Amino acid sequence: MFCYSVAANRVSVRVGSINQFAGGKIIYAESIAVEPSYTYINNDLAVIKLSSDVQVGSRISIIPIATSANQAPAVSTAVSVAGWGEQSSGAAPYKLQSVAFSVASEEECTKGFPEHDETTFCLAHNLKEGSCLGDAGNGVVYNNRLV
């Protein structure tokens, strides 16, 4: 299991910048709620309540979260993932990176992750492209919605 408990007073987010070390505004967490049925790769969701409001503007926008299974992408549909994970060179980027994936079939998903359930879908990518160390837990965007 990759998840571990972190006190909310030790967590902050940077909004308004794709640089993880500069720009934008730092807002501290007030509380963190982890999905109670989270196990390894299933139900991988947590919500962070911030200590102050986020001011939406030209560099900050809100993305809605999918609320039903019919908002999930179909097999072979293009989706995107962003993160600061390790790159193929071994370097860790300081600016947010994005990569496109396609939704894998149930058969492909079961081959790679036999322990997954209906709360999980798998993504396919080209060789030497994809998420890496440091990207765990990042969201998938489809139709301008977090799925």
Side-chain angles (χ1 to χ4, degrees):
M1 185 159 148
F2 297 111
C3 185
Y4 56 91
S5 179
V6 176
N9 65 359
R10 297 183 49 92
V11 174
S12 63
V13 299
R14 182 180 304 275
V15 298
S17 176
I18 63 170
N19 184 324
Q20 64 176 318
F21 302 116
K25 178 181 177 184
I26 300 288
I27 303 176
Y28 291 92
E30 182 176 302
S31 63
I32 302 171
V34 176
E35 167 59 44
S37 57
Y38 167 75
T39 58
Y40 181 52
I41 62 172
N42 298 319
N43 301 301
D44 187 2
L45 178 70
V47 175
I48 300 172
K49 181 178 180 182
L50 301 177
S51 61
S52 63
D53 291 341
V54 174
Q55 299 302 313
V56 175
S58 63
R59 297 181 63 86
I60 300 172
S61 59
I62 306 297
I63 185 168
I65 298 175
T67 57
S68 67
N70 68 359
Q71 293 175 322
V75 172
S76 299
T77 301
V79 297
S80 62
V81 175
W84 288 276
E86 188 175 287
Q87 296 175 315
S88 59
S89 66
Y94 65 93
K95 288 190 176 177
L96 188 64
Q97 305 294 301
S98 178
V99 65
F101 288 88
S102 63
V103 177
S105 70
E106 179 64 22
E107 180 182 336
E108 292 172 305
C109 194
T110 300
K111 279 183 191 175
F113 297 99
E115 65 277 11
H116 87 284
D117 67 14
E118 70 281 351
T119 69
T120 307
F121 60 91
C122 296
L123 304 176
H125 57 85
N126 294 326
L127 187 63
K128 295 193 176 191
E129 290 181 7
S131 293
C132 196
L133 182 63
D135 284 326
N138 51 0
V140 174
V141 176
Y142 168 67
N143 266 355
N144 296 315
R145 192 175 293 275
L146 190 64
V147 294

